Amino acid sequence: MKKPLPHCLNERTQGWLRFLWKKATTEDDWSEKGEPHPWWDRYSTAPMMNFPRFDLSESSYAIGLMSDVTPAWREVYATILEGLVERHLTYWAAVDWLTQFGHDPNRESYPESWRDTLIPKHLFGSYDTPGWTANGVEPWGLQKDPIGAEGNLFFKGWLNLVMSLHKYVSGESKWEKSFEVAGVGGTRFEWTQPKLADHLVELWARHPAGLHCENTKVWPFCLSAAGLGLQLNDTLSGTSTHEVFNSWLEYAKENYFGVDESNKLRWTTFYYDPIRDEHMRHGPSDALPTSLYLLPQDPSYAEFLYHAAVSKMGWSDQNKPVRAPSDPRFIALGLALAKEWGDERTLNRLNKYVEENFEPRAFGPDKGDFGWWFNFKEQWPRGQISALLILAEVGTKGSWRRLFEKPDLWKFEAPTIEGVDFPSLGVTEAWNDPDAGLLHVQTSAIYSHLKGKPTTFSITNLPDLARLEITCDGHSFEKWHRTSQHSIEVATDINSHNFRITTGYHRQNIPGPRSTFRHQRQPSPK
Protein backbone atom coordinates (compact mmCIF):
# COMPACT_ATOMS: atom_id res chain seq x y z
CA MET A 1 0.00 0.00 0.00
CA LYS A 2 1.29 3.44 -0.86
CA LYS A 3 1.58 6.10 1.79
CA PRO A 4 -1.37 8.42 2.24
CA LEU A 5 -0.56 11.74 0.61
CA PRO A 6 0.53 13.80 2.36
CA HIS A 7 1.85 11.22 4.81
CA CYS A 8 2.01 13.59 7.77
CA LEU A 9 0.41 16.75 9.15
CA ASN A 10 2.44 19.92 8.59
CA GLU A 11 3.12 22.51 11.31
CA ARG A 12 0.25 24.78 10.36
CA THR A 13 -2.21 21.91 10.34
CA GLN A 14 -0.98 20.77 13.75
CA GLY A 15 -1.33 24.31 15.10
CA TRP A 16 -4.88 24.65 13.78
CA LEU A 17 -5.74 21.22 15.22
CA ARG A 18 -4.50 22.24 18.67
CA PHE A 19 -6.58 25.43 18.57
CA LEU A 20 -9.69 23.63 17.35
CA TRP A 21 -9.21 21.03 20.09
CA LYS A 22 -9.28 23.83 22.65
CA LYS A 23 -12.43 25.31 21.10
CA ALA A 24 -14.24 21.97 21.01
CA THR A 25 -13.23 20.75 24.48
CA THR A 26 -13.44 24.02 26.44
CA GLU A 27 -16.89 24.16 27.98
CA ASP A 28 -19.00 27.18 27.06
CA ASP A 29 -22.73 27.76 27.29
CA TRP A 30 -24.68 27.66 24.00
CA SER A 31 -28.06 27.53 25.78
CA GLU A 32 -30.70 30.24 26.01
CA LYS A 33 -29.09 31.42 29.26
CA GLY A 34 -25.52 31.56 27.97
CA GLU A 35 -23.37 32.66 25.07
CA PRO A 36 -20.68 30.93 22.99
CA HIS A 37 -17.04 31.74 23.67
CA PRO A 38 -15.97 34.66 21.41
CA TRP A 39 -13.50 32.46 19.53
CA TRP A 40 -16.47 30.84 17.76
CA ASP A 41 -16.91 32.82 14.54
CA ARG A 42 -20.30 34.54 14.41
CA TYR A 43 -18.92 37.55 12.58
CA SER A 44 -18.05 36.52 9.02
CA THR A 45 -20.06 37.05 5.83
CA ALA A 46 -22.94 39.05 7.28
CA PRO A 47 -25.89 38.97 6.97
CA MET A 48 -26.03 35.34 5.78
CA MET A 49 -23.43 33.37 7.72
CA ASN A 50 -22.62 35.44 10.79
CA PHE A 51 -23.96 32.75 13.11
CA PRO A 52 -21.77 30.43 15.22
CA ARG A 53 -23.12 27.18 13.72
CA PHE A 54 -21.24 27.95 10.51
CA ASP A 55 -17.99 27.79 12.45
CA LEU A 56 -19.08 24.32 13.56
CA SER A 57 -19.76 23.05 10.05
CA GLU A 58 -16.80 24.73 8.30
CA SER A 59 -14.44 23.40 11.00
CA SER A 60 -15.51 19.80 10.38
CA TYR A 61 -14.21 19.50 6.79
CA ALA A 62 -10.47 19.61 7.44
CA ILE A 63 -10.93 17.21 10.36
CA GLY A 64 -12.28 14.66 7.89
CA LEU A 65 -9.22 15.18 5.68
CA MET A 66 -6.83 14.94 8.66
CA SER A 67 -8.33 11.60 9.60
CA ASP A 68 -7.39 10.31 6.15
CA VAL A 69 -3.80 11.54 6.63
CA THR A 70 -3.46 9.71 9.97
CA PRO A 71 -6.05 6.92 9.65
CA ALA A 72 -4.43 4.91 12.45
CA TRP A 73 -4.96 7.80 14.90
CA ARG A 74 -8.47 9.23 15.03
CA GLU A 75 -9.49 9.75 18.66
CA VAL A 76 -8.76 13.49 18.77
CA TYR A 77 -10.68 14.09 15.56
CA ALA A 78 -13.65 12.12 16.90
CA THR A 79 -13.70 14.15 20.11
CA ILE A 80 -13.59 17.44 18.18
CA LEU A 81 -16.39 16.40 15.84
CA GLU A 82 -18.50 15.23 18.76
CA GLY A 83 -18.07 18.66 20.34
CA LEU A 84 -19.11 20.32 17.09
CA VAL A 85 -22.25 18.20 16.74
CA GLU A 86 -23.29 18.67 20.36
CA ARG A 87 -23.08 22.45 19.98
CA HIS A 88 -25.05 22.20 16.73
CA LEU A 89 -28.06 20.96 18.72
CA THR A 90 -28.25 24.03 20.94
CA TYR A 91 -30.11 27.34 21.08
CA TRP A 92 -27.17 29.32 19.72
CA ALA A 93 -26.75 27.00 16.76
CA ALA A 94 -30.34 27.72 15.70
CA VAL A 95 -30.49 31.24 17.14
CA ASP A 96 -31.69 32.84 13.90
CA TRP A 97 -34.60 30.41 13.48
CA LEU A 98 -35.48 30.78 17.15
CA THR A 99 -35.51 34.59 17.23
CA GLN A 100 -36.16 36.00 13.75
CA PHE A 101 -39.96 35.91 13.52
CA GLY A 102 -41.99 37.25 10.64
CA HIS A 103 -40.58 39.77 8.19
CA ASP A 104 -37.50 41.76 9.12
CA PRO A 105 -38.68 45.01 10.77
CA ASN A 106 -35.48 46.70 9.56
CA ARG A 107 -35.78 45.89 5.88
CA GLU A 108 -36.64 49.47 4.94
CA SER A 109 -33.26 50.60 6.27
CA TYR A 110 -30.93 48.04 4.71
CA PRO A 111 -27.56 49.34 3.45
CA GLU A 112 -27.71 50.64 -0.11
CA SER A 113 -24.89 48.23 -1.01
CA TRP A 114 -27.36 45.35 -0.64
CA ARG A 115 -29.49 46.64 -3.50
CA ASP A 116 -29.13 44.31 -6.49
CA THR A 117 -26.41 42.30 -4.72
CA LEU A 118 -28.42 40.63 -1.95
CA ILE A 119 -31.89 41.85 -2.85
CA PRO A 120 -33.45 42.37 -6.30
CA LYS A 121 -33.49 46.05 -7.19
CA HIS A 122 -37.25 46.25 -7.62
CA LEU A 123 -37.88 44.60 -4.23
CA PHE A 124 -35.36 46.60 -2.22
CA GLY A 125 -36.93 48.07 0.91
CA SER A 126 -39.86 45.65 0.98
CA TYR A 127 -38.10 42.27 0.94
CA ASP A 128 -36.17 40.30 3.57
CA THR A 129 -32.44 39.95 3.15
CA PRO A 130 -30.90 36.49 2.78
CA GLY A 131 -29.92 35.47 6.28
CA TRP A 132 -33.23 36.55 7.82
CA THR A 133 -35.05 33.28 8.52
CA ALA A 134 -38.57 34.77 8.75
CA ASN A 135 -39.91 31.95 10.92
CA GLY A 136 -43.68 32.32 11.05
CA VAL A 137 -44.41 33.81 7.63
CA GLU A 138 -47.14 32.33 5.48
CA PRO A 139 -47.87 29.76 4.23
CA TRP A 140 -46.05 27.87 7.02
CA GLY A 141 -46.67 29.86 10.19
CA LEU A 142 -44.50 29.60 13.30
CA GLN A 143 -42.56 26.33 13.44
CA LYS A 144 -40.81 25.70 16.73
CA ASP A 145 -38.65 22.73 15.69
CA PRO A 146 -35.58 23.86 13.68
CA ILE A 147 -35.24 20.38 12.15
CA GLY A 148 -38.93 19.60 11.68
CA ALA A 149 -39.60 22.96 10.03
CA GLU A 150 -40.49 23.10 6.35
CA GLY A 151 -37.55 25.42 5.74
CA ASN A 152 -34.32 26.06 7.67
CA LEU A 153 -32.26 23.77 5.44
CA PHE A 154 -29.07 25.60 6.28
CA PHE A 155 -29.45 24.31 9.84
CA LYS A 156 -30.41 20.68 9.33
CA GLY A 157 -28.54 20.00 6.09
CA TRP A 158 -25.20 20.91 7.63
CA LEU A 159 -26.09 19.14 10.88
CA ASN A 160 -26.47 15.89 8.94
CA LEU A 161 -23.13 16.51 7.18
CA VAL A 162 -21.20 17.08 10.43
CA MET A 163 -22.88 14.05 12.03
CA SER A 164 -21.86 11.94 9.01
CA LEU A 165 -18.26 13.13 9.27
CA HIS A 166 -18.24 12.21 12.96
CA LYS A 167 -19.53 8.76 12.09
CA TYR A 168 -16.88 8.33 9.40
CA VAL A 169 -14.01 9.38 11.66
CA SER A 170 -15.08 7.68 14.89
CA GLY A 171 -16.77 4.52 13.67
CA GLU A 172 -19.62 5.25 16.09
CA SER A 173 -23.33 5.34 15.41
CA LYS A 174 -24.03 7.70 18.30
CA TRP A 175 -26.45 9.89 16.39
CA GLU A 176 -28.61 6.93 15.40
CA LYS A 177 -29.72 7.07 19.02
CA SER A 178 -32.14 9.73 20.20
CA PHE A 179 -30.87 13.28 20.74
CA GLU A 180 -32.63 16.57 21.52
CA VAL A 181 -32.48 19.81 19.56
CA ALA A 182 -33.38 23.22 21.01
CA GLY A 183 -36.59 24.82 19.73
CA VAL A 184 -38.50 28.09 20.02
CA GLY A 185 -39.37 29.23 23.53
CA GLY A 186 -37.27 26.67 25.38
CA THR A 187 -38.92 23.68 23.71
CA ARG A 188 -36.95 20.54 22.87
CA PHE A 189 -37.50 18.06 20.05
CA GLU A 190 -36.31 14.47 19.79
CA TRP A 191 -34.59 13.21 16.64
CA THR A 192 -32.21 10.58 15.33
CA GLN A 193 -29.91 10.93 12.34
CA PRO A 194 -31.82 8.33 10.26
CA LYS A 195 -35.04 10.23 11.00
CA LEU A 196 -33.33 13.49 10.03
CA ALA A 197 -32.10 12.05 6.71
CA ASP A 198 -35.56 10.66 5.91
CA HIS A 199 -37.08 14.04 6.75
CA LEU A 200 -34.75 15.75 4.27
CA VAL A 201 -35.79 13.28 1.58
CA GLU A 202 -39.48 13.80 2.33
CA LEU A 203 -39.14 17.59 2.14
CA TRP A 204 -37.04 17.43 -1.02
CA ALA A 205 -39.68 15.30 -2.71
CA ARG A 206 -42.30 17.96 -1.91
CA HIS A 207 -40.10 20.78 -3.19
CA PRO A 208 -38.54 19.82 -6.54
CA ALA A 209 -37.02 23.31 -6.86
CA GLY A 210 -35.23 22.68 -3.58
CA LEU A 211 -35.80 23.12 0.15
CA HIS A 212 -35.96 26.61 1.63
CA CYS A 213 -33.11 27.84 3.81
CA GLU A 214 -34.57 30.95 5.34
CA ASN A 215 -38.25 31.01 4.48
CA THR A 216 -39.05 31.79 0.83
CA LYS A 217 -35.44 31.35 -0.40
CA VAL A 218 -33.85 28.30 -2.05
CA TRP A 219 -30.03 28.33 -2.17
CA PRO A 220 -28.22 25.92 -4.55
CA PHE A 221 -25.18 26.35 -2.26
CA CYS A 222 -27.06 25.02 0.79
CA LEU A 223 -28.73 22.22 -1.15
CA SER A 224 -25.35 21.00 -2.41
CA ALA A 225 -24.03 20.84 1.17
CA ALA A 226 -27.15 18.95 2.29
CA GLY A 227 -26.69 16.50 -0.58
CA LEU A 228 -23.11 15.85 0.47
CA GLY A 229 -24.26 14.90 3.96
CA LEU A 230 -26.78 12.46 2.50
CA GLN A 231 -24.12 10.98 0.21
CA LEU A 232 -21.69 10.23 3.04
CA ASN A 233 -24.40 8.91 5.34
CA ASP A 234 -25.61 6.59 2.57
CA THR A 235 -22.10 5.23 2.11
CA LEU A 236 -21.74 4.56 5.83
CA SER A 237 -25.27 3.29 6.46
CA GLY A 238 -26.17 1.44 3.26
CA THR A 239 -29.19 3.69 2.65
CA SER A 240 -30.27 5.44 -0.57
CA THR A 241 -31.34 8.91 0.54
CA HIS A 242 -28.97 10.66 -1.88
CA GLU A 243 -31.11 9.75 -4.89
CA VAL A 244 -33.32 12.77 -4.20
CA PHE A 245 -30.32 15.07 -4.62
CA ASN A 246 -29.43 13.58 -7.99
CA SER A 247 -32.94 14.34 -9.23
CA TRP A 248 -32.75 17.91 -7.93
CA LEU A 249 -29.34 18.49 -9.53
CA GLU A 250 -30.76 17.97 -13.01
CA TYR A 251 -33.36 20.62 -12.22
CA ALA A 252 -30.65 22.92 -10.86
CA LYS A 253 -28.51 22.64 -13.98
CA GLU A 254 -31.46 23.75 -16.08
CA ASN A 255 -32.67 26.54 -13.81
CA TYR A 256 -29.90 27.80 -11.55
CA PHE A 257 -26.89 28.02 -13.88
CA GLY A 258 -26.99 30.12 -17.05
CA VAL A 259 -24.89 28.35 -19.70
CA ASP A 260 -24.81 29.82 -23.21
CA GLU A 261 -24.54 28.05 -26.57
CA SER A 262 -20.74 28.02 -26.35
CA ASN A 263 -20.99 26.17 -23.00
CA LYS A 264 -19.82 29.22 -21.06
CA LEU A 265 -21.29 29.98 -17.65
CA ARG A 266 -22.88 33.43 -17.70
CA TRP A 267 -24.71 33.60 -14.37
CA THR A 268 -25.57 31.60 -11.28
CA THR A 269 -28.61 31.73 -9.04
CA PHE A 270 -27.62 33.06 -5.62
CA TYR A 271 -31.08 32.18 -4.35
CA TYR A 272 -34.52 31.51 -5.81
CA ASP A 273 -37.82 32.57 -4.26
CA PRO A 274 -40.44 30.07 -5.49
CA ILE A 275 -43.27 32.04 -3.84
CA ARG A 276 -42.52 35.07 -6.03
CA ASP A 277 -40.82 33.07 -8.81
CA GLU A 278 -37.87 35.44 -8.36
CA HIS A 279 -34.19 34.66 -9.06
CA MET A 280 -31.42 36.66 -7.43
CA ARG A 281 -28.59 36.06 -9.88
CA HIS A 282 -24.88 36.71 -9.63
CA GLY A 283 -21.93 36.16 -11.94
CA PRO A 284 -19.91 32.96 -12.41
CA SER A 285 -17.63 33.68 -9.45
CA ASP A 286 -20.54 32.95 -7.13
CA ALA A 287 -20.35 29.29 -8.17
CA LEU A 288 -17.27 28.65 -5.98
CA PRO A 289 -19.14 27.72 -2.77
CA THR A 290 -21.46 25.37 -4.65
CA SER A 291 -18.49 23.80 -6.44
CA LEU A 292 -16.87 22.66 -3.19
CA TYR A 293 -19.92 20.71 -2.04
CA LEU A 294 -20.88 19.50 -5.49
CA LEU A 295 -17.41 18.13 -6.26
CA PRO A 296 -17.78 14.65 -4.70
CA GLN A 297 -21.33 14.35 -6.04
CA ASP A 298 -20.83 15.47 -9.66
CA PRO A 299 -17.10 16.06 -10.23
CA SER A 300 -17.33 17.09 -13.88
CA TYR A 301 -19.96 19.75 -13.28
CA ALA A 302 -18.16 20.97 -10.16
CA GLU A 303 -14.98 21.36 -12.21
CA PHE A 304 -16.91 23.26 -14.87
CA LEU A 305 -18.19 25.68 -12.20
CA TYR A 306 -14.72 26.03 -10.66
CA HIS A 307 -13.00 26.93 -13.92
CA ALA A 308 -15.80 29.35 -14.84
CA ALA A 309 -15.32 31.16 -11.53
CA VAL A 310 -11.53 31.19 -11.76
CA SER A 311 -11.67 32.49 -15.31
CA LYS A 312 -14.10 35.26 -14.34
CA MET A 313 -11.91 36.30 -11.43
CA GLY A 314 -8.75 36.15 -13.57
CA TRP A 315 -6.96 34.13 -10.90
CA SER A 316 -5.08 31.91 -13.36
CA ASP A 317 -3.95 34.84 -15.55
CA GLN A 318 -0.40 35.70 -14.57
CA ASN A 319 -0.67 39.02 -16.40
CA LYS A 320 -3.34 40.28 -13.98
CA PRO A 321 -3.12 41.01 -10.27
CA VAL A 322 -5.19 38.71 -8.07
CA ARG A 323 -8.69 40.10 -7.84
CA ALA A 324 -9.88 39.73 -4.26
CA PRO A 325 -13.56 40.01 -3.32
CA SER A 326 -14.28 41.90 -0.12
CA ASP A 327 -15.20 38.62 1.59
CA PRO A 328 -12.01 36.53 2.08
CA ARG A 329 -14.17 33.39 2.02
CA PHE A 330 -13.98 33.35 -1.78
CA ILE A 331 -10.17 33.36 -1.84
CA ALA A 332 -10.18 30.56 0.76
CA LEU A 333 -12.57 28.48 -1.35
CA GLY A 334 -10.55 29.17 -4.50
CA LEU A 335 -7.35 28.06 -2.77
CA ALA A 336 -8.91 24.84 -1.45
CA LEU A 337 -10.41 23.98 -4.84
CA ALA A 338 -7.19 24.81 -6.72
CA LYS A 339 -5.42 22.31 -4.44
CA GLU A 340 -8.15 19.73 -5.01
CA TRP A 341 -7.97 20.04 -8.80
CA GLY A 342 -4.18 20.28 -8.96
CA ASP A 343 -4.46 23.74 -10.57
CA GLU A 344 -0.90 24.79 -9.70
CA ARG A 345 -0.96 28.18 -11.40
CA THR A 346 -4.05 29.35 -9.54
CA LEU A 347 -2.88 27.67 -6.35
CA ASN A 348 0.47 29.47 -6.36
CA ARG A 349 -1.07 32.86 -7.12
CA LEU A 350 -3.75 32.59 -4.46
CA ASN A 351 -1.33 31.19 -1.92
CA LYS A 352 0.97 34.18 -2.44
CA TYR A 353 -1.95 36.54 -1.98
CA VAL A 354 -3.04 34.78 1.22
CA GLU A 355 0.46 34.88 2.68
CA GLU A 356 0.76 38.61 1.98
CA ASN A 357 -2.76 39.72 2.93
CA PHE A 358 -4.52 37.28 5.29
CA GLU A 359 -2.16 37.56 8.27
CA PRO A 360 -1.23 33.93 9.00
CA ARG A 361 0.05 33.74 12.55
CA ALA A 362 1.21 31.26 15.18
CA PHE A 363 -0.10 32.15 18.64
CA GLY A 364 -0.76 30.75 22.09
CA PRO A 365 1.68 28.97 24.44
CA ASP A 366 5.03 28.42 22.69
CA LYS A 367 3.33 29.66 19.52
CA GLY A 368 1.70 26.25 19.32
CA ASP A 369 -1.61 27.31 17.75
CA PHE A 370 -2.19 28.65 14.25
CA GLY A 371 -4.79 30.60 12.31
CA TRP A 372 -5.41 33.58 10.03
CA TRP A 373 -6.42 37.04 11.32
CA PHE A 374 -7.30 38.82 8.03
CA ASN A 375 -6.18 42.15 9.56
CA PHE A 376 -9.41 42.41 11.53
CA LYS A 377 -7.51 43.29 14.74
CA GLU A 378 -9.47 40.72 16.73
CA GLN A 379 -8.41 38.50 19.63
CA TRP A 380 -8.99 35.22 17.80
CA PRO A 381 -8.55 34.00 14.21
CA ARG A 382 -11.77 33.94 12.21
CA GLY A 383 -12.94 30.35 12.54
CA GLN A 384 -15.04 29.96 9.42
CA ILE A 385 -12.54 31.28 6.91
CA SER A 386 -9.47 29.85 8.66
CA ALA A 387 -11.17 26.45 8.58
CA LEU A 388 -11.58 26.73 4.80
CA LEU A 389 -7.98 27.89 4.32
CA ILE A 390 -6.64 24.92 6.27
CA LEU A 391 -8.19 22.61 3.67
CA ALA A 392 -5.38 23.59 1.31
CA GLU A 393 -2.79 22.82 4.02
CA VAL A 394 -4.17 19.32 4.62
CA GLY A 395 -5.45 18.29 1.25
CA THR A 396 -3.77 17.05 -1.88
CA LYS A 397 -5.17 16.67 -5.35
CA GLY A 398 -8.39 14.67 -5.11
CA SER A 399 -8.41 14.25 -1.32
CA TRP A 400 -11.78 15.98 -0.76
CA ARG A 401 -13.38 13.87 -3.46
CA ARG A 402 -11.89 10.63 -2.09
CA LEU A 403 -13.18 11.38 1.40
CA PHE A 404 -16.76 11.02 0.15
CA GLU A 405 -16.42 8.76 -2.89
CA LYS A 406 -14.00 6.19 -1.47
CA PRO A 407 -14.00 6.56 2.31
CA ASP A 408 -11.44 4.47 4.19
CA LEU A 409 -13.50 1.91 6.11
CA TRP A 410 -10.90 -0.79 6.73
CA LYS A 411 -9.05 1.53 9.15
CA PHE A 412 -11.43 0.37 11.91
CA GLU A 413 -10.10 -3.20 11.83
CA ALA A 414 -6.43 -2.15 11.45
CA PRO A 415 -3.93 -1.44 14.28
CA THR A 416 -4.80 1.89 15.86
CA ILE A 417 -3.11 4.40 18.18
CA GLU A 418 -5.17 5.41 21.22
CA GLY A 419 -4.75 7.16 24.56
CA VAL A 420 -2.35 9.83 23.30
CA ASP A 421 -1.84 12.69 25.75
CA PHE A 422 -2.91 15.35 23.23
CA PRO A 423 -2.08 18.20 22.85
CA SER A 424 1.00 17.65 25.04
CA LEU A 425 2.04 14.95 22.59
CA GLY A 426 1.09 15.27 18.96
CA VAL A 427 0.82 12.63 16.27
CA THR A 428 1.84 13.76 12.81
CA GLU A 429 1.99 10.38 11.10
CA ALA A 430 -0.05 7.23 11.79
CA TRP A 431 -0.83 4.81 8.99
CA ASN A 432 -0.73 1.10 8.30
CA ASP A 433 1.10 -0.52 5.42
CA PRO A 434 -0.81 -3.82 5.18
CA ASP A 435 1.49 -5.14 2.46
CA ALA A 436 4.51 -4.93 4.76
CA GLY A 437 2.55 -5.50 7.98
CA LEU A 438 3.92 -2.22 9.39
CA LEU A 439 2.39 0.59 11.40
CA HIS A 440 4.13 3.95 10.95
CA VAL A 441 3.84 6.46 13.81
CA GLN A 442 5.53 9.83 14.18
CA THR A 443 5.08 11.92 17.32
CA SER A 444 5.77 15.60 17.94
CA ALA A 445 5.95 18.02 20.86
CA ILE A 446 5.46 21.78 20.86
CA TYR A 447 5.40 22.88 24.51
CA SER A 448 8.97 23.38 25.74
CA HIS A 449 8.16 22.84 29.44
CA LEU A 450 6.74 19.38 28.69
CA LYS A 451 9.44 18.00 26.41
CA GLY A 452 11.14 14.93 27.83
CA LYS A 453 8.41 14.14 30.35
CA PRO A 454 7.21 10.51 30.39
CA THR A 455 3.98 9.56 28.66
CA THR A 456 2.27 6.51 27.22
CA PHE A 457 -0.02 5.54 24.39
CA SER A 458 -1.73 2.32 23.38
CA ILE A 459 -1.83 0.31 20.18
CA THR A 460 -4.99 -1.74 19.65
CA ASN A 461 -6.25 -4.21 17.01
CA LEU A 462 -2.92 -6.06 16.91
CA PRO A 463 -3.39 -9.51 15.35
CA ASP A 464 -0.45 -11.38 16.93
CA LEU A 465 1.63 -10.00 19.81
CA ALA A 466 4.13 -12.84 19.44
CA ARG A 467 5.26 -11.34 16.14
CA LEU A 468 5.39 -7.74 17.40
CA GLU A 469 8.58 -5.75 16.89
CA ILE A 470 9.07 -2.02 17.50
CA THR A 471 11.82 0.38 16.54
CA CYS A 472 12.03 4.00 17.68
CA ASP A 473 14.21 6.42 15.74
CA GLY A 474 15.86 3.47 14.04
CA HIS A 475 16.71 1.52 17.21
CA SER A 476 15.09 -1.53 18.76
CA PHE A 477 12.48 -0.49 21.32
CA GLU A 478 11.35 -2.67 24.24
CA LYS A 479 9.47 -0.25 26.49
CA TRP A 480 6.04 -1.71 26.02
CA HIS A 481 3.83 -4.25 27.73
CA ARG A 482 0.77 -6.27 26.85
CA THR A 483 -2.60 -4.97 28.08
CA SER A 484 -4.85 -7.51 26.35
CA GLN A 485 -4.69 -10.24 23.74
CA HIS A 486 -4.63 -7.65 20.96
CA SER A 487 -3.28 -4.45 22.52
CA ILE A 488 -0.18 -3.01 24.17
CA GLU A 489 0.87 0.13 26.03
CA VAL A 490 3.99 1.97 24.87
CA ALA A 491 6.08 3.95 27.40
CA THR A 492 7.86 6.90 25.81
CA ASP A 493 8.41 10.62 26.39
CA ILE A 494 6.91 13.82 25.05
CA ASN A 495 9.14 14.48 22.07
CA SER A 496 9.56 13.94 18.36
CA HIS A 497 9.99 10.24 17.60
CA ASN A 498 9.60 7.88 14.67
CA PHE A 499 8.12 4.50 15.54
CA ARG A 500 7.94 1.56 13.17
CA ILE A 501 5.82 -1.29 14.51
CA THR A 502 5.86 -4.69 12.84
CA THR A 503 2.29 -5.71 13.52
CA GLY A 504 1.76 -8.63 11.17
CA TYR A 505 -1.48 -7.01 10.08
CA HIS A 506 -2.28 -7.71 6.45
CA ARG A 507 -5.50 -6.44 5.01
CA GLN A 508 -7.85 -9.29 4.18
CA ASN A 509 -11.01 -7.53 3.12
CA ILE A 510 -12.87 -4.28 3.53
CA PRO A 511 -15.59 -4.44 6.20
CA GLY A 512 -19.15 -3.75 5.13
CA PRO A 513 -20.48 -0.33 6.12
CA ARG A 514 -23.01 -1.47 8.69
CA SER A 515 -20.57 -3.84 10.40
CA THR A 516 -18.03 -1.08 10.87
CA PHE A 517 -19.71 1.25 13.32
CA ARG A 518 -20.01 1.07 17.08
CA HIS A 519 -22.44 2.64 19.51
CA GLN A 520 -19.96 3.01 22.36
CA ARG A 521 -17.10 5.46 22.61
CA GLN A 522 -13.56 4.19 22.85
CA PRO A 523 -11.42 5.65 25.67
CA SER A 524 -10.98 9.39 25.22
CA PRO A 525 -7.53 11.00 25.00
CA LYS A 526 -5.96 11.84 28.33
Side-chain angles (χ1 to χ4, degrees), residues 137-196:
V137 299
E138 296 302 328
W140 305 284
L142 183 68
Q143 297 182 305
K144 292 186 175 183
D145 183 350
I147 294 179
E150 195 77 10
N152 207 24
L153 176 66
F154 59 178
F155 175 83
K156 54 198 168 199
W158 265 290
L159 173 59
N160 185 54
L161 176 55
V162 182
M163 283 182 169
S164 297
L165 284 167
H166 175 261
K167 188 174 186 178
Y168 169 63
V169 168
S170 67
E172 301 164 17
S173 298
K174 175 175 181 175
W175 311 110
E176 291 187 7
K177 294 182 177 181
S178 178
F179 58 82
E180 285 189 340
V181 63
V184 173
T187 56
R188 295 293 184 268
F189 297 90
E190 191 172 298
W191 285 85
T192 65
Q193 189 182 8
K195 184 179 175 183
L196 166 57

Side-chain angles (χ1 to χ4, degrees), residues 212-512:
H212 297 233
C213 284
E214 58 271 275
N215 278 337
T216 78
K217 296 181 182 67
V218 173
W219 290 23
F221 159 57
C222 294
L223 287 151
S224 298
L228 194 57
L230 292 177
Q231 180 187 34
L232 183 57
N233 188 50
D234 279 355
T235 300
L236 303 178
S237 303
T239 51
S240 56
T241 60
H242 190 250
E243 293 175 1
V244 71
F245 174 84
N246 294 327
S247 299
W248 170 83
L249 184 57
E250 295 308 310
Y251 177 94
K253 289 178 182 179
E254 292 293 325
N255 294 276
Y256 296 153
F257 302 99
V259 181
D260 65 17
E261 294 179 354
S262 63
N263 200 38
K264 187 172 183 178
L265 184 65
R266 295 296 183 182
W267 53 261
T268 64
T269 292
F270 177 40
Y271 63 81
Y272 171 60
D273 183 336
I275 305 298
R276 292 177 177 263
D277 192 24
E278 183 78 43
H279 286 262
M280 182 68 236
R281 288 172 173 155
H282 287 171
S285 59
D286 212 47
L288 275 177
T290 303
S291 178
L292 178 72
Y293 298 106
L294 191 57
L295 197 156
Q297 303 176 84
D298 190 331
S300 61
Y301 203 73
E303 187 173 17
F304 165 70
L305 296 179
Y306 164 75
H307 285 296
V310 167
S311 176
K312 180 65 176 180
M313 300 297 291
W315 286 343
S316 59
D317 189 342
Q318 294 181 338
N319 297 317
K320 297 179 180 179
V322 170
R323 177 184 166 196
S326 57
D327 186 352
R329 182 184 303 272
F330 282 83
I331 293 283
L333 287 165
L335 190 67
L337 286 165
K339 189 73 170 284
E340 175 71 18
W341 290 117
D343 181 358
E344 293 296 328
R345 179 179 296 178
T346 301
L347 179 67
N348 292 336
R349 281 167 52 79
L350 293 184
N351 191 59
K352 183 175 185 295
Y353 182 89
V354 167
E355 293 302 300
E356 294 174 351
N357 295 279
F358 282 3
E359 201 180 1
R361 188 197 307 171
F363 66 103
D366 287 344
K367 302 292 184 181
D369 302 340
F370 180 80
W372 287 265
W373 262 258
F374 308 96
N375 301 295
F376 289 139
K377 302 186 186 305
E378 296 169 338
Q379 184 178 2
W380 307 104
R382 284 286 179 95
Q384 295 184 42
I385 312 170
S386 291
L388 293 173
L389 283 169
I390 208 70
L391 288 174
E393 295 287 339
V394 185
T396 59
K397 182 179 180 180
S399 58
W400 178 249
R401 179 178 176 179
R402 288 192 298 271
L403 171 62
F404 295 92
E405 279 193 347
K406 299 179 180 179
D408 177 2
L409 299 182
W410 68 273
K411 63 191 176 188
F412 298 110
E413 67 174 20
T416 300
I417 307 301
E418 297 181 359
V420 173
D421 186 11
F422 184 84
S424 299
L425 182 69
V427 176
T428 61
E429 184 176 348
W431 61 282
N432 284 281
D433 181 345
D435 296 327
L438 283 174
L439 171 61
H440 299 255
V441 177
Q442 179 175 283
T443 62
S444 66
I446 190 67
Y447 304 122
S448 57
H449 68 288
L450 295 176
K451 286 185 178 179
K453 291 191 174 183
T455 190
T456 62
F457 61 82
S458 297
I459 306 176
T460 62
N461 290 351
L462 294 166
D464 186 359
L465 296 189
R467 301 172 59 185
L468 191 71
E469 295 180 5
I470 303 179
T471 64
C472 178
D473 302 327
H475 303 285
S476 180
F477 183 85
E478 303 293 338
K479 295 180 180 180
W480 60 271
H481 66 273
R482 170 178 170 163
T483 54
S484 77
Q485 185 178 354
H486 297 289
S487 63
I488 65 169
E489 183 176 80
V490 175
T492 182
D493 65 336
I494 297 174
N495 224 318
S496 298
H497 293 297
N498 281 291
F499 292 91
R500 296 294 178 264
I501 301 100
T502 301
T503 64
Y505 171 78
H506 296 278
R507 178 181 176 186
Q508 300 298 318
N509 51 62
I510 300 175

